[in-house]
Amino acid sequence: MENIINTGKTYLMNNYGRYPICFEKGDGCKVYDKDGKEYIDFLGGVAVNSLGYGHKNLVNAIKNQAEKLIHISNYFWIENQISLGKLLAENSFADKAFFCNSGAEANEAAVKLARKYAYKKYGSHQNHIIAMSGSFHGRTLATLSMTSNKKYQEGFGPCPEGFSFADFNDIESLAKLITENTCAVILEPIQGEGGVTPSDISYLEEVKEICQKNNVLLIFDEVQCGMGRTGNLFAYESYGVTPDIVSLAKGLGSGFPIGAIIATDEVASAFEPGDHGSTFGGNPLACAAALATLNTIIEDGFLKNVCDTSTYFIEKLNELKEKHSIVKTVKGKGLLLGLELKIEGSEIVKKGLEKGILINCTASNVLRFVPPLIINKEEIDFLISALDNILEFYR
Ligand SMILES: *Cc1c(COP(=O)(O)O)cnc(C)c1O
């Protein structure tokens, strides 16, 4: 592996902090590095590989579509894109979809749609967007403008204007920021990068109310918490609060790059031909992967299993918390879970790699678990026992 990594250092830009491991293949929830070492994957390509590795439905869909038609321009009607839009509409509040290639692109599209909608309906002054403390929405310039951690912006300014930040889970803070210039509020129902922090149910209900009262659109960034991650297909369902626009990506193609926004007819109608687009967005191959993923997730019993697995996982994490005083809280919902520590977590992640578990650490002290949605109890037991062992060291 050392050779490969050294070549990588020569030819790749140095924008990622990478662990010195290179993977060869995966199977179910296990991945194997170039030396043949096995790891159980609780990172899932950062909440991406929802069906794990080598899932028949996904692999066959990609194979079959690749042989027929990989890409064709959006100047034409793309059947898989239509089927995917229909399936998303049938399983959500939304009526229409737009497809792109990543989470940041989906959020860019959400902002453009919200602004265009307000521009047409209320006038050009109504273009401000309110985001939340602890938010993460991507790495493009506009999504950096709505990502609260300023370290991501350093050296890249100026970023687009018209964004401000309310304190997450604090309705008074939001109420103070809304003006006649506000066109949308964007938030993650469960903050991922910000430290696996769910919003409170009553808070989201109040956000919805305040938005409606002020003609402000509500955008949920479900790039990380959507697509079955919470045990519901969409995170908004587990809150019973319906937004106007939802952005999706990560788990949507189970590893094949695809992003989307979905919205009501009323809001979606703000886009007219020429208003927005993407060369690759919603191409036949990407949509085949997403169709296979979505069809699998909505199969009978799949999400019920995610809920059962989550209950078991949370129980086991709580046992770790009881046993190790270094653990502060167990956070999250479904299979987007975190273990908040009283110390930084990066060293524990490295020790995990040695023991054959892939996890990561966000917000410096939250170990994050976002495994494939098909993770089983035996694999969870392996993780818990490895963590138990590692945490023993910090007594
Ligand atoms: C990962 C993530 C994004 C950015 O997605 P990319 O595909 O990396 O552009 C945006 N929002 C949330 C909540 C995310 O977790």
Side-chain angles (χ1 to χ4, degrees):
M1 286 201 288
E2 215 179 303
N3 246 337
I4 301 173
I5 291 164
N6 284 332
T7 311
K9 284 180 183 164
T10 308
Y11 292 106
L12 300 181
M13 290 196 194
N14 193 25
N15 57 314
Y16 298 107
R18 302 182 199 255
Y19 298 104
I21 300 174
C22 176
F23 290 102
E24 170 96 355
K25 59 177 184 182
D27 181 20
C29 296
K30 300 191 173 79
V31 284
Y32 301 86
D33 72 16
K34 283 273 181 189
D35 294 340
K37 179 170 172 178
E38 179 181 293
Y39 302 78
I40 300 185
D41 186 4
F42 282 84
L43 182 55
V46 196
V48 166
N49 302 318
S50 28
L51 302 184
Y53 301 91
H55 196 289
K56 282 276 174 304
N57 298 1
L58 179 67
V59 173
N60 289 337
I62 292 173
K63 268 189 187 161
N64 291 338
Q65 187 58 49
E67 283 176 354
K68 283 197 283 189
L69 185 68
I70 292 177
H71 179 81
I72 193 89
S73 155
N74 276 309
Y75 293 155
F76 306 97
W77 291 97
I78 297 171
E79 193 173 3
N80 285 351
Q81 193 182 113
I82 296 164
S83 305
L84 182 58
K86 181 165 181 270
L87 197 58
L88 284 167
E90 285 167 353
N91 287 282
S92 72
F93 74 96
D95 305 303
K96 286 195 160 61
F98 164 80
F99 295 103
C100 51
N101 313 284
S102 70
E105 274 184 47
N107 287 328
E108 290 266 351
V111 166
K112 284 182 74 175
L113 180 62
R115 281 188 170 166
K116 194 70 182 252
Y117 176 80
Y119 174 87
K120 285 179 158 174
K121 200 157 176 190
Y122 311 111
S124 61
H125 65 284
Q126 195 166 329
N127 56 35
H128 283 210
I129 312 257
I130 301 175
M132 298 293 151
S133 61
S135 62
F136 179 85
H137 298 295
R139 302 288 202 140
T140 62
L141 290 170
T143 55
L144 284 181
S145 282
M146 46 190 182
T147 290
S148 75
N149 191 337
K150 291 291 166 261
K151 88 173 180 207
Y152 293 121
Q153 282 189 20
E154 202 183 326
F156 296 117
C159 285
E161 290 172 13
F163 298 88
S164 55
F165 293 92
D167 293 331
F168 188 50
N169 273 334
D170 176 350
I171 197 69
E172 287 311 312
S173 161
L174 178 64
K176 274 188 216 145
L177 281 177
I178 289 187
T179 68
E180 76 268 16
N181 295 329
T182 310
C183 78
V185 168
I186 183 167
L187 62 85
E188 300 153 80
I190 303 168
Q191 292 188 335
E193 304 305 307
V196 194
T197 312
S199 33
D200 304 328
I201 292 183
S202 60
Y203 169 72
L204 278 198
E205 286 167 351
E206 287 166 336
V207 170
K208 170 82 185 178
E209 205 181 298
I210 211 174
C211 284
Q212 270 180 329
K213 222 190 285 169
N214 291 280
N215 295 325
V216 167
L217 294 181
L218 181 55
I219 306 170
F220 280 179
D221 178 346
E222 296 208 15
V223 168
Q224 187 158 163
C225 62
M227 290 305 291
R229 193 52 52 195
T230 58
N232 287 108
L233 183 55
F234 298 103
Y236 77 82
E237 296 173 88
S238 39
Y239 284 94
V241 173
T242 308
D244 301 290
I245 304 174
V246 164
S247 56
L248 299 167
K250 290 199 165 86
L252 179 57
S254 201
F256 201 96
I258 179 167
I261 52 170
I262 56 175
T264 56
D265 256 330
E266 152 90 2
V267 173
S269 69
F271 273 169
E272 290 176 60
D275 276 351
H276 193 50
S278 160
T279 301
F280 291 126
N283 88 8
L285 189 57
C287 289
L291 270 171
T293 303
L294 186 54
N295 272 319
T296 305
I297 291 178
I298 63 179
E299 265 172 24
D300 258 0
F302 188 97
L303 286 171
K304 162 91 173 49
N305 189 54
V306 171
C307 293
D308 292 347
T309 310
S310 167
T311 304
Y312 182 77
F313 201 163
I314 291 171
E315 201 179 290
K316 290 284 149 185
L317 289 173
N318 273 315
E319 283 174 25
L320 278 185
K321 184 189 152 202
E322 292 312 311
K323 202 167 158 193
H324 300 278
S325 58
I326 196 176
V327 177
K328 206 161 142 195
T329 49
V330 176
K331 306 173 83 180
K333 259 190 204 299
L335 289 176
L336 172 48
L337 297 174
L339 203 58
E340 188 179 357
L341 305 173
K342 292 173 187 162
I343 56 159
E344 294 224 334
S346 56
E347 200 182 318
I348 293 171
V349 173
K350 279 184 198 148
K351 290 183 173 165
L353 290 172
E354 285 166 26
K355 291 192 180 298
I357 52 169
L358 297 192
I359 55 174
N360 98 318
C361 176
T362 73
S364 85
N365 68 335
V366 180
L367 300 181
R368 175 173 49 174
F369 312 106
V370 278
L373 302 177
I374 57 168
I375 197 89
N376 65 34
K377 291 180 180 173
E378 202 185 333
E379 289 158 338
I380 291 169
D381 288 343
F382 186 89
L383 169 88
I384 297 294
S385 138
L387 283 177
D388 188 21
N389 218 294
I390 294 167
L391 293 175
E392 205 52 47
F393 179 82
Y394 298 90
R395 266 188 194 284

